[in-house]
Amino acid sequence: MLVNHEQYRTIWPNFEHAQPCVEIIDQTKLPHVFEVASLTTLAQMIVAIKTMQVRGAPLIGAAAAYGIALSTLDSCADRHLQQSAEQLIASRPTAVNLRWAVQRMLSALLRLPDAQRQSAAWAEAALICDEDVQLNQAIGKHGLTLIHAQHQQKARTINILTHCNAGWLATVDFGTALAPIYAAHNAGIHVHVWVGETRPRNQGASLTAWELGQHGVPHTVISDNAGGHLMQQGQVDMVIVGADRVTAAGDVCNKIGTYLKALAAFDSVALGHHVPFYAAVPSPTIDWNIEDGVKSIEIEERDAEELSWMSGKLSDGTIASVNILPHGTQVANPAFDVTPARLVTGIITERGVFTPQQLRTMQR
Ligand SMILES: CSC[C@H]1O[C@H](OP(=O)(O)O)[C@H](O)[C@@H]1O
């Protein structure tokens, strides 16, 4: 069954039952199983965010917004909504979109009489989702100009390296880092994507490879450590990644391993072929309140089991997990890192492509 973003979003409300619910694509089951999960309570939405059934900065923002809407099914009292907001914000600390969406929901609801809050919550969450789709389509348009320029100059397939998953699965639809790639592919520009597998959760191998395959975009999965080598060999024309938080100075916080790819891209200048490094970022991912990402962004530390266990499909088609570490081995599992602005060529936003130094002009 082909599934692509013309048919699905990653999250949507369902009002067909007595009690409204929120339906999501359960991303922990991909690439081997496509399964939709129905969430009926705030607690279920918090579990979905924490366990990464839904993940990706813009999508967890949208999910948190619907978490507030689910919360109104129990109560619309100020204190109840504020406690729900605190629980959602605590579920994953790094992506600023989650806090941004929850604060936007509270701002929209707390000014209303209780009786109007439930319908307003579902409407505001839907608006956040629709806006995300529009932002990502604009990112695709602006990112396309970068790929088109390379294609005009080189008159061959353009090889793009990406990390983790910043496709339509990481957003409500269309994606951020993959949006320009889809736009180029749909415009007939030949692109090929090097897909970093992205240990330990393998969002690249399991999600980006699945997305690109469903859309018919040529791609090759590589180990995380192969990216620098491919850049050194002149096999990468540009790097485009997503982000979980970008500072006002243009520091880019993204999935662990991004910083190493940015370092390799930066070093490529010395080899005579510059590999530009771009982050594709909708404005709700920009945290205008901080400058230094290394000092100011809380990096989520995730469970050791994510490193010590791997899941996959056995030869008989069943899904199983295996332990890959010696018993008792100590594990550290930081989920994100920060690429300093000095390593960032440009930030692709819905308003255009900005250098880190130009980013503040977006606020005007
Ligand atoms: C378009 S944001 C995608 C961003 O979010 C991912 O994090 P996670 O999968 O842990 O939610 C990763 O950092 C992606 O680059």
Side-chain angles (χ1 to χ4, degrees):
M1 170 178 84
L2 273 180
V3 174
N4 58 39
H5 56 68
E6 273 79 23
Q7 302 149 301
Y8 278 92
R9 285 186 172 186
T10 51
I11 188 168
W12 60 93
N14 183 332
F15 300 112
E16 293 169 8
H17 309 296
Q19 184 92 323
C21 70
V22 180
E23 296 188 329
I24 60 167
I25 296 172
D26 182 348
Q27 299 190 30
T28 62
K29 300 288 177 55
L30 290 172
H32 302 306
V33 176
F34 179 85
E35 188 172 290
V36 172
S38 295
L39 310 176
T40 58
T41 64
L42 169 67
Q44 288 175 347
M45 182 58 83
I46 289 171
V47 167
I49 293 171
K50 279 184 172 179
T51 62
M52 298 171 65
Q53 287 178 286
V54 286
R55 34 67 47 200
L59 177 53
I60 61 178
Y66 274 118
I68 295 290
L70 288 169
S71 175
T72 65
L73 302 178
D74 295 325
S75 165
C76 288
D78 286 18
R79 188 69 201 119
H80 174 77
L81 295 180
Q82 284 158 348
Q83 286 174 338
S84 300
E86 287 161 13
Q87 290 170 39
L88 283 162
I89 288 170
S91 62
R92 290 196 77 190
T94 304
V96 70
N97 311 62
L98 197 159
R99 177 185 296 273
W100 167 85
V102 167
Q103 288 173 342
R104 172 167 160 175
M105 291 295 288
L106 288 186
S107 172
L109 300 185
L110 297 184
R111 68 176 65 152
L112 298 173
D114 284 20
Q116 297 174 19
R117 290 178 176 182
Q118 190 174 108
S119 59
W122 289 94
E124 191 70 15
L127 188 57
I128 286 172
C129 289
D130 290 344
E131 287 174 3
D132 180 61
V133 174
Q134 290 161 6
L135 295 178
N136 300 334
Q137 288 173 314
I139 286 170
K141 183 184 71 174
H142 292 302
L144 172 58
T145 64
L146 300 171
I147 300 173
H148 182 257
Q150 285 247 13
H151 186 252
Q152 290 288 87
Q153 179 195 349
K154 298 177 179 176
R156 57 164 172 77
T157 295
I158 298 304
N159 295 295
I160 302 167
L161 185 144
T162 192
H163 187 64
C164 197
N165 172 257
W168 70 272
L169 288 174
T171 66
V172 175
D173 205 345
F174 281 92
T176 57
L178 297 192
I181 291 168
Y182 288 132
H185 177 77
N186 295 343
I189 295 175
H190 292 165
V191 293
H192 165 263
V193 184
W194 296 112
V195 177
E197 61 179 345
T198 317
R199 285 278 298 147
R201 287 297 295 255
N202 295 322
Q203 292 95 324
S206 301
L207 302 178
T208 297
W210 180 82
E211 270 198 44
L212 294 175
Q214 293 288 324
H215 205 81
V217 178
H219 61 283
T220 306
V221 173
I222 56 171
S223 70
D224 294 326
N225 300 324
H229 166 71
L230 291 169
M231 289 187 238
Q232 211 173 44
Q233 297 293 312
Q235 297 187 49
V236 178
D237 296 303
M238 59 201 307
V239 178
I240 309 180
V241 299
D244 294 82
R245 190 181 309 207
V246 174
T247 73
D251 290 355
V252 173
C253 179
N254 195 46
K255 184 54 50 188
I256 194 78
T258 303
Y259 172 45
L260 293 176
K261 295 207 164 45
L263 282 172
F266 190 75
D267 187 58
S268 67
V269 178
L271 303 169
H273 43 259
H274 178 220
V275 177
F277 179 91
Y278 295 102
V281 179
S283 43
T285 304
I286 302 173
D287 185 344
W288 298 109
N289 299 313
I290 58 172
E291 298 274 333
D292 184 328
V294 174
K295 287 181 184 161
S296 307
I297 297 176
E298 181 183 349
I299 300 297
E300 179 185 10
E301 185 74 28
R302 291 188 65 88
D303 291 345
E305 286 68 31
E306 290 189 352
L307 249 86
S308 53
W309 289 83
M310 283 190 79
S311 70
K313 184 161 66 173
L314 300 179
S315 50
D316 65 3
T318 57
I319 305 296
S321 293
V322 293
N323 193 306
I324 61 170
L325 292 182
H327 178 67
T329 298
Q330 187 166 318
V331 169
N333 184 16
F336 301 98
D337 60 27
V338 175
T339 298
R342 61 182 168 81
L343 300 178
V344 178
T345 308
I347 297 165
I348 308 168
T349 76
E350 70 274 11
R351 304 260 299 274
V353 182
F354 297 84
T355 65
Q357 297 73 19
Q358 296 166 335
L359 193 61
R360 281 185 184 78
T361 61
M362 264 192 81
Q363 279 192 300
R364 295 183 198 131

